[in-house]
Amino acid sequence: MSKVKGLSPETISAQALNHIDAATGGLSPAIYPSSTYVRDENYQLINSRHSYGRAENPGYAVAEKVLAELEGAPAALLFSSGTAAAMAIVQSLRPGDQMVAPKIMYWGLRNWLVKFCDNWGLGLDLFDAADPDALVNTVKKGKTKLVWIETPCNPSWDVIDIAAAADIAHRAGARLAVDSTVATPVLTQPIKYGADIVVHSATKYLNGHCDIIAGAVVTAKEDEFWERVCELRTDGGAILGSFEAFLLQRGMRTLFLRIRKACESALALAKHFDGHAGVEAVIYPGLPNHPGHELAKRQMDGGFGGMMCIQVKGGADDALNIVKRCKVFTRATSFGGVESLIEHRYSIEGEGSPVPRDWLRLSIGIEFVDDLIADLEQAFE
Ligand SMILES: Cc1ncc(COP(=O)(O)O)c(C=O)c1O
């Protein structure tokens, strides 16, 4: 790992902490596919840290250390998906505990939370992230053990004040977990604002190439709660494949470049379509008309992210017709890859989704932005 102190996060990410493979001197980290580890004739492990592959993989070290460093944290843990990472946090609560989460957050996780909390004997209260007073009115002092936030919230892009949420959580005796998938450590370091835990769907920007499913949990403190999260990964086996861990550390090397480009293009595209004849509204924290704009300017450093929604004039059919006519944007769910994606979020979430039917969700990639703007322009004609 890097011997130079005080390097910028950008250098840490590009050089992967200057990792050099100890066995070979290789600049690129090794992949360790072994599921089990050998013992000598005295039945001692040849390497005492490794016995069986469900506990951990030596190939995780680079990605975990780089991510911890970028988040300003002592430790990070990779998981088989962002959802598995989130589940480990929630399952570290005890029956009878209460947690709070935003009404609009990643839909798959919110649906799981509602079912799981009911089955597991956990209290769950949902709050309106667009209302700045809602969180303090939802948290129950002494009872709430976990406050879960996502900022910017997918797909409303509401921006939540992490420092205020941390204060509310801590005064109630709860931990604050922040799903920072959309912001990434390039734009926001939640621990700096008082978060206890940071979660990522590494499937998205951290990897950046739409070719793995992965997750990560980052901790501000290696305390008893963190030990439970670590144990749950080993006991539950929600571990990442060795090749996926390799791809993740490789993807993270270009994180800063990709995020900066996505932010720049997203802002240009949002400004272009704000006020467009076919557009009711552009929902993007980088626009001054977004309710979270001022907070985003304070909390997000160097950009507003690559995610936005466009509310199309007309209705669901008009929105779907735009999607149909796109030639450069790819029609697919997910986000955070180098290629731009467009999706009709309501169709993905289905009946009961809080997402309006005339919204399109865009994930802006790293293509030449004029090609993206021209593609949407021709789709609106
Ligand atoms: C904000 C956010 N968090 C977590 C997840 C879950 O991640 P994964 O698909 O890696 O399980 C997603 C997935 O879309 C997401 O958008």
Side-chain angles (χ1 to χ4, degrees), residues 315-334:
D317 289 347
D318 299 85
L320 280 162
N321 276 331
I322 302 289
V323 177
K324 193 189 222 166
R325 291 198 284 261
C326 281
K327 298 182 180 117
V328 180
F329 276 89
T330 302
R331 287 176 289 275
T333 191
S334 199

Side-chain angles (χ1 to χ4, degrees), residues 81-84 106 109 150 154 179 181-182 201-204 213-214 335:
S81 69
T83 305
Y106 168 54
L109 205 49
E150 187 182 301
N154 174 16
D179 183 336
T181 300
V182 173
S201 166
T203 309
K204 310 295 191 307
I213 297 285
F335 61 88

Side-chain angles (χ1 to χ4, degrees), residues 71-112:
E71 292 285 10
L77 208 60
L78 299 186
F79 280 82
S80 53
S81 69
T83 305
M87 283 183 174
I89 294 166
V90 177
Q91 289 177 338
S92 297
L93 295 172
R94 300 192 188 283
D97 287 349
Q98 197 250 1
M99 70 171 282
V100 302
K103 274 186 189 150
I104 297 186
M105 55 181 272
Y106 168 54
W107 146 95
L109 205 49
R110 194 208 43 207
N111 287 354
W112 173 77

Side-chain angles (χ1 to χ4, degrees), residues 30 106 138 143 166 203 241 254 271 311-312 318:
Y106 168 54
T138 308
K143 191 142 175 52
T203 309
T254 54
K271 283 182 174 164
Q311 185 181 9
V312 173
D318 299 85

Side-chain angles (χ1 to χ4, degrees), residues 277-294:
V279 170
E280 196 63 49
V282 176
I283 299 101
Y284 182 62
L287 292 180
N289 60 15
H290 188 278
H293 181 63
E294 287 306 317

Side-chain angles (χ1 to χ4, degrees), residues 160-370:
I160 301 183
D161 188 333
I162 301 172
D167 189 45
I168 294 168
H170 295 158
R171 276 195 280 130
R175 285 183 173 77
L176 176 69
V178 180
D179 183 336
S180 197
T181 300
V182 173
T184 81
V186 176
L187 304 177
T188 309
Q189 293 170 303
I191 289 173
K192 193 172 89 183
Y193 294 105
D196 302 288
I197 299 153
V198 183
V199 189
H200 288 281
S201 166
T203 309
K204 310 295 191 307
Y205 288 108
L206 292 183
N207 175 59
H209 295 77
C210 293
D211 53 10
I212 64 167
I213 297 285
V217 180
V218 185
T219 188
K221 271 194 256 106
E222 293 179 277
D223 56 6
E224 189 201 322
F225 189 84
W226 176 246
E227 274 169 27
R228 281 214 293 281
V229 172
C230 296
E231 251 173 48
L232 269 167
R233 188 186 71 174
T234 299
D235 296 346
I239 54 156
L240 193 61
S242 51
F243 185 56
E244 284 74 7
F246 170 83
L247 286 177
L248 177 57
Q249 69 74 31
R250 188 170 71 159
M252 284 170 63
R253 288 174 176 238
T254 54
L255 181 66
F256 280 75
L257 276 180
R258 290 186 284 103
I259 295 289
R260 292 219 169 106
K261 175 73 177 163
C263 288
E264 192 186 296
S265 297
L267 186 61
L269 192 135
K271 283 182 174 164
H272 182 92
F273 286 98
D274 188 34
H276 185 279
V279 170
E280 196 63 49
V282 176
I283 299 101
Y284 182 62
L287 292 180
N289 60 15
H290 188 278
H293 181 63
E294 287 306 317
L295 173 58
K297 276 207 294 195
R298 293 200 302 278
Q299 191 170 271
M300 299 178 78
D301 188 12
F304 301 96
M307 297 302 300
M308 73 180 73
C309 288
I310 290 187
Q311 185 181 9
V312 173
K313 273 192 186 151
D317 289 347
D318 299 85
L320 280 162
N321 276 331
I322 302 289
V323 177
K324 193 189 222 166
R325 291 198 284 261
C326 281
K327 298 182 180 117
V328 180
F329 276 89
T330 302
R331 287 176 289 275
T333 191
S334 199
F335 61 88
V338 288
E339 59 287 279
S340 295
L341 305 181
I342 187 163
E343 67 173 303
H344 185 243
R345 195 66 203 154
Y346 182 89
S347 298
I348 298 290
E349 298 192 6
E351 204 58 47
S353 163
V355 181
R357 295 174 196 226
D358 52 0
W359 281 28
L360 295 177
R361 190 178 86 173
L362 308 184
S363 169
I364 305 301
I366 64 166
E367 304 95 330
F368 184 48
V369 67
D370 290 358

